Amino acid sequence: MIRPERDAFGQEIWAYFQGKRAFEVVERDDGFIDISRGAPDYFLPFKKWPKIEKQAIKFAKGKILDVGAGAGRVSLYLQKRGFAVTAIDNSPLAIQVCKKRGVKQAQVLPFEKISIFKTGSFNTVIMFGNNFGLFGSLKKAKTLLRELHRITTPSALIIAETTDPYKTDDPAHLSYQKLNKKRGRLPGQLRIRIRFRNYVGEWFDYLMVAKEEMKKILKDTGWRVKRFIGSEKAKYIAIIEKIRAFREPFHRRNC
Amino acid sequence: MIRPERDAFGQEIWAYFQGKRAFEVVERDDGFIDISRGAPDYFLPFKKWPKIEKQAIKFAKGKILDVGAGAGRVSLYLQKRGFAVTAIDNSPLAIQVCKKRGVKQAQVLPFEKISIFKTGSFNTVIMFGNNFGLFGSLKKAKTLLRELHRITTPSALIIAETTDPYKTDDPAHLSYQKLNKKRGRLPGQLRIRIRFRNYVGEWFDYLMVAKEEMKKILKDTGWRVKRFIGSEKAKYIAIIEKIRAFREPFHRRNC
């Protein structure tokens, strides 16, 4: 459980929820610092969502897992549309805000701990706002995709948003990608932490991938891309489906 | 001379000048992080200046020294009004922007190096946008005020803006003030550095004072407050004049 003083992300959401000034500073492990839109975006009502999210959300169905729910904007929208949604986030303060805003099923849970859910629990997994990034690394993504395979129904979908890291001409980002390659990481595998006022979050890996990289990550996990939404800009969303005939390689070898 | 990679303040101004995205992250030595309005404010045209600055600038006269000139907004305004202005800033990139924007006399010079100016050079010293803060500490302020006394004419004025640090109920700021007291610093003596993208500025002391503290700082320096402008909010400006009969204490003792 993240202690409140390390929950920079949650503190920022909590401040904004209380009508106080909120901002989000993102520090990368090469010393690069940036401010992101932060809190206001985590509260965006449906009508102000990016166009690609409005298109992609139409694929949502049945019981839904909202991964990295933040302030609950996606969960609240889906709940209102009549879906049963479970919102998870590793930030206790974010989940507190989700609950106060009316998300019925919201729980503090790091993505790495989704093994607590029973087999076939969800029909849809949503990872909006760059939250494909929560897969962290190639290795972690493979593990978590297999786990997602288990906790979802046979016709389940993952709807995940990311940013193509190569669609930039910023020298600072390009040299960071080089650094990542050199240390054996995916070029878009950002090691970052959130800072807000006196709150400093823990370092974590947030993975940005191009479309071809995403396909490689999905390989041998039982998932494949059904379609991509968005292609002009760096941001895009993948609708990911299960390969029906898929058996885990381990099992196949035992047939 | 600040190297370009440590000139975070100048880089931010340079980016904004080139029409690029600019922001200013301020990191305090207790780990508190904030974003300030930054670059856009350093370029503000006169009509958008805060009311107290519009009132205070009327006191400007003769040859003017603009301390911490930033992107030159004050120098440019005064120059247009017909005054002879010398803009100084320790940031090489900020001074480059000043020059490109038309400031005729702009030079890279840390405030600590004003001893290079001849006796009686200036009629007015301007320190807008919290730049009273550049006095840094009680001790440094005393030294620099005496130096300013020497390089200005007998009827000279200092027009300096600061923020009363006690006009806050923010627990993070109040506990920082306590920390400062404990380590023998003035409560509003902020130790900060500027960060922008991959640029990390050097740590420096930026001094915020209440009106009574300012009076104490001016004591025995040959300067006194003529009047304060602004008293409802935390920000205020002091019009500071020379004590005509003033002799430095050392000389007095030798009479």
Side-chain angles (χ1 to χ4, degrees), chain A residues 9 25 35 58 144 184 186 226-227:
Chain A
F9 175 74
V25 170
I35 52 174
K58 290 176 189 158
L144 286 168
L186 282 168
K226 179 186 168 80
R227 62 176 285 194

Side-chain angles (χ1 to χ4, degrees), chain A residues 178-218:
Chain A
K178 263 192 198 166
L179 171 69
N180 263 347
K181 264 188 180 167
K182 217 163 77 181
R183 51 187 186 176
R185 296 158 62 89
L186 282 168
Q189 191 176 337
L190 316 180
R191 188 147 185 85
I192 55 173
R193 63 180 183 183
I194 304 294
R195 298 182 66 171
F196 168 59
R197 292 174 46 88
N198 44 336
Y199 308 108
V200 184
E202 301 280 358
W203 290 104
F204 67 102
D205 280 341
Y206 206 51
L207 180 63
M208 306 291 161
V209 291
K211 289 171 181 172
E212 287 311 307
E213 287 173 325
M214 188 186 284
K215 286 180 187 167
K216 275 181 204 160
I217 288 169
L218 296 180

Side-chain angles (χ1 to χ4, degrees), chain A residues 21-25 27-28 30-36 170-173 193 195-200, chain B residues 21-25 27-28 30-36 170-173 193 195-200:
Chain A
R21 184 169 161 264
F23 57 87
E24 184 176 283
V25 170
E27 195 177 9
R28 205 168 57 190
D30 63 338
F32 189 91
I33 211 158
D34 206 348
I35 52 174
S36 75
D170 190 321
H173 296 333
R193 63 180 183 183
R195 298 182 66 171
F196 168 59
R197 292 174 46 88
N198 44 336
Y199 308 108
V200 184
Chain B
R21 184 167 160 265
F23 58 87
E24 184 177 283
V25 170
E27 194 176 12
R28 206 168 57 191
D30 63 338
F32 189 92
I33 211 159
D34 206 347
I35 52 174
S36 74
D170 190 322
H173 296 333
R193 62 180 184 183
R195 298 182 65 173
F196 168 59
R197 292 174 47 88
N198 45 336
Y199 309 109
V200 184

Side-chain angles (χ1 to χ4, degrees), chain A residues 39-56:
Chain A
D41 267 14
Y42 307 138
F43 287 80
L44 273 194
F46 177 75
K47 60 175 183 197
K48 292 194 176 173
W49 288 10
K51 197 181 154 195
I52 55 170
E53 288 188 351
K54 283 181 178 171
Q55 287 174 260

